[in-house]
């Protein structure tokens, strides 16, 4: 039986905990996940009692990227529609702090989702990266804009050009994650960070986020260039060949 709600929302006091619930696919972002996320945001965006949001993945992974099976079929129109990027922009604009709670893989769109959050707590076994160029595309959901702002242009180019995956400690050293904690303490440490924020003046926190995002938030021009570049790549032979090879792996392993 398929799960009708691939994103769950649980309320604990002033905090909403959103869990992407597709562990059998390492929480890959399908269109269904994106739609479900959008539906949940409608209420959260206008909730005056909300103090913060925690994003996590079910099981032992955050998110292993956009769903490659669906991505292979996407064209230039989909790129311009910014399916994942539009969602991440909306998450970034939530009026309260959003913390990504990261275990296991945060790759591709998963890493970009974490980038759109305000803070990132990762376990010692977490692995982050932007491997898109290996699939013949670019990180098209905000990383070309947000990653250099977080880790610096040199490191962003290193990560995006090589597609290499970085363990949590290295991600911490470059500023890609804010805290590294033992896996069994992820929930506790993420909640403690959120509690520390909730003790502050709630209007002050909302306005601090507004002011900081006005400096480092999204730029329409940068995201438009990213979408145009992705649109070209979505229709390339190279992308179809590379994604086809990823999807063929399963059949090869089964035979
Ligand atoms: N899209 C669709 N399915 C994905 C996925 C993705 N981004 N990431 C993982 N999955 C699926 C796998 O296809 C597999 O499905 P199956 O059991 O039906 O074959 C399942 O999740 C488990 O993944 P698997 O590859 O068997 O686990 P692993 O431990 O060997 O490898 C990863 C884990 C994350 C290294 C590997 O799955 C991977 O490279 N995923 C793609 C990462 C990526 O390029 N993301 C960016 C996309 S833009």
């Amino acid at each position: 039986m398929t799960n009708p709600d691939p994103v769950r929302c649980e309320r604990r006091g002033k905090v909403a905990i959103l869990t992407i619930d597709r562990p059998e696919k390492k929480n890959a972002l399908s269109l269904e996940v994106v739609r479900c996320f959008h539906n949940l945001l409608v209420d959260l965006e206008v909730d005056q009692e909300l103090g913060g949001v925690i994003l996590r993945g079910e099981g032992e992974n955050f998110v292993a990227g956009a769903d490659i099976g669906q991505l292979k079929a996407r064209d230039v129109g989909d790129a311009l529609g910014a399916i994942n990027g539009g969602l991440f922009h909306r998450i970034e604009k939530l009026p309260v702090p959003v913390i990504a709670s990261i275990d296991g893989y945060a790759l591709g769109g998963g890493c970009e989702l974490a980038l759109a959050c305000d803070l990132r707590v990762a376990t010692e076994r977490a692995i982050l990266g932007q491997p898109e160029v290996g699939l013949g595309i670019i990180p098209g959901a905000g990383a070309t804009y947000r990653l250099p702002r977080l880790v610096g242009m040199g490191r962003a180019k290193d990560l995006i050009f090589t597609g290499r995956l970085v363990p949590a400690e290295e991600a911490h050293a470059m500023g890609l994650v804010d805290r590294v904690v033992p896996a069994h303490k992820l929930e506790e440490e993420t909640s403690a960070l959120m509690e520390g924020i909730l003790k502050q003046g709630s209007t002050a926190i909302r306005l601090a986020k507004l002011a900081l995002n006005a400096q480092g938030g999204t730029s329409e021009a940068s995201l438009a260039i990213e979408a145009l570049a992705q649109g070209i790549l979505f229709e390339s032979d190279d992308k179809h060949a590379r994604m086809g090879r990823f999807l063929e792996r399963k059949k090869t392993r089964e035979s």
Side-chain angles (χ1 to χ4, degrees), residues 14-15 50-52 193-202 205:
K14 288 186 166 298
V15 181
L50 189 67
L193 177 59
M194 185 60 91
E195 286 305 318
I197 295 170
L198 292 177
K199 283 186 188 137
Q200 314 305 316
S202 60
I205 292 294

Side-chain angles (χ1 to χ4, degrees), residues 29 66 79 81-90 92 107-117 120 129-130 132 137-151 153 156 160 176 216-230 234:
L29 297 173
I83 294 171
N84 292 330
L87 173 66
F88 300 168
H89 195 177
R90 209 170 157 197
E92 182 177 57
L107 303 182
C111 192
E112 291 178 296
L113 173 59
L115 291 173
C117 297
R120 286 149 290 278
Q130 300 289 170
E132 284 90 343
I137 59 171
I138 58 167
T144 65
Y145 183 71
R146 294 189 187 103
L147 189 58
R149 288 178 161 257
L150 207 56
V151 303
M153 186 60 82
I160 291 175
L176 183 51
T218 53
S219 148
E220 298 304 327
S222 299
L223 294 179
I225 290 169
E226 188 183 78
L228 286 168
Q230 192 73 301
F234 267 8

Side-chain angles (χ1 to χ4, degrees), residues 22-29 61 63-71 84 105 107-110 112 129-132 135 137-139 165 230 243 246-247 249-251 253-254:
R22 250 193 122 201
E24 72 287 358
K25 293 288 180 187
K26 300 203 182 296
N27 300 318
L29 297 173
N61 292 285
V63 172
D67 188 301
I68 297 173
Q70 295 184 357
L71 209 52
N84 292 330
Y105 289 111
L107 303 182
E112 291 178 296
Q130 300 289 170
E132 284 90 343
L135 293 168
I137 59 171
I138 58 167
L165 308 186
Q230 192 73 301
M243 291 195 181
F246 176 86
L247 298 169
R249 285 181 333 155
K250 185 183 176 190
K251 289 181 199 156
R253 284 186 302 191
E254 282 172 352

Side-chain angles (χ1 to χ4, degrees), residues 167-244:
E169 279 303 344
E170 187 185 348
H172 185 238
M174 67 172 75
L176 183 51
V177 301
D178 304 290
R179 307 266 197 287
V180 179
V181 301
H184 69 280
K185 289 203 158 181
L186 180 60
E187 188 181 340
E188 182 186 331
E189 296 283 347
T190 308
S191 298
L193 177 59
M194 185 60 91
E195 286 305 318
I197 295 170
L198 292 177
K199 283 186 188 137
Q200 314 305 316
S202 60
T203 308
I205 292 294
R206 283 180 177 237
L207 287 177
K209 175 163 177 174
L210 197 73
L212 286 161
N213 275 11
Q215 310 301 320
T218 53
S219 148
E220 298 304 327
S222 299
L223 294 179
I225 290 169
E226 188 183 78
L228 286 168
Q230 192 73 301
I232 292 167
L233 293 165
F234 267 8
E235 301 200 354
S236 72
D237 293 340
D238 189 46
K239 168 214 159 181
H240 285 282
R242 284 171 179 270
M243 291 195 181

Side-chain angles (χ1 to χ4, degrees), residues 154-174:
R155 290 194 184 102
K157 285 182 176 171
D158 173 9
L159 292 178
I160 291 175
F161 291 175
T162 66
R164 73 188 178 88
L165 308 186
V166 293
E169 279 303 344
E170 187 185 348
H172 185 238
M174 67 172 75

Side-chain angles (χ1 to χ4, degrees), residues 2-24:
T2 55
N3 186 348
D5 286 320
V7 188
R8 297 195 312 270
C9 182
E10 182 198 343
R11 189 64 181 253
R12 283 194 206 155
K14 288 186 166 298
V15 181
I17 301 169
L18 299 183
T19 301
I20 300 164
D21 191 5
R22 250 193 122 201
E24 72 287 358

